[in-house]
Amino acid sequence: MAGKDQSPIVTIVSEQQVLRVPRRQVEALVVFVAKAQRVRFACVDILIVDDRAMAGHNRRYLDHRGTTDVISFDLSEASEPGLAAQLIVSAETARRVGPIHGQRPQAELLLYILHGLLHVIGHDDRDPSSRAAMNALQDELLTAFRAR
C-alpha cells in the first residue's frame, strides 16, 4: 500500500558489489515517473544484481539465455489500488554499458529502472515503431528528471 500522500513504497535490495546504488535518486525517479505518466504506484520493489544472477533470472522468468539490463513484472491486483511493480536490474550491465553510451554507470542504472517502470505502466518496445516511441519517451522523461 502506498502512504497517505500517495507516494509509493519503494524497496531497493542490492545483491551486487560492482556499483554504488543511488537510492535517493531511484526513489525520486519512481515518484517522478508516476507523476509524469499520471499513474499511481502502490509499491515498487527493485532488486539490483550482477550479470550472473541476472542471467539466472532471465532464464528462469523469460526462458532467455544470457544477461539483460532489466526484467519487469506487474504484480498488481485488480482489488488493490495502484500498480505493484517488481524490477530486477543488472548493475554490472550498467557499469559495462554506461560508458559506451557516454553515461556514468549510475545514470545507466536509472535508465534501466525507468525502462522497467514504463513496461509496468504498459509501454511496449517489441517492434521498431513502439521501440522508437518508448526510447523517445525515456529520453524526454530522463531529461525532465535531471532538470527538476
Side-chain angles (χ1 to χ4, degrees), residues 50-96:
D50 60 21
D51 280 349
R52 182 176 176 166
M54 180 58 95
H57 292 299
N58 204 16
R59 186 178 333 101
R60 177 179 181 193
Y61 296 114
L62 301 176
D63 201 26
H64 295 166
R65 295 184 67 103
T67 192
T68 190
D69 49 10
V70 63
I71 300 173
S72 56
F73 303 94
D74 180 352
L75 303 178
S76 304
E77 295 187 25
S79 63
E80 295 291 326
L83 294 172
Q86 185 177 55
L87 307 179
I88 305 173
V89 187
S90 175
E92 198 167 354
T93 298
R95 187 182 72 175
R96 185 178 61 256

Side-chain angles (χ1 to χ4, degrees), residues 113-129:
I113 292 167
L114 171 59
H115 187 86
L117 292 172
L118 291 177
H119 276 303
V120 171
I121 291 169
H123 294 277
D124 185 7
D125 61 356
R126 293 180 191 196
D127 61 69
S129 64

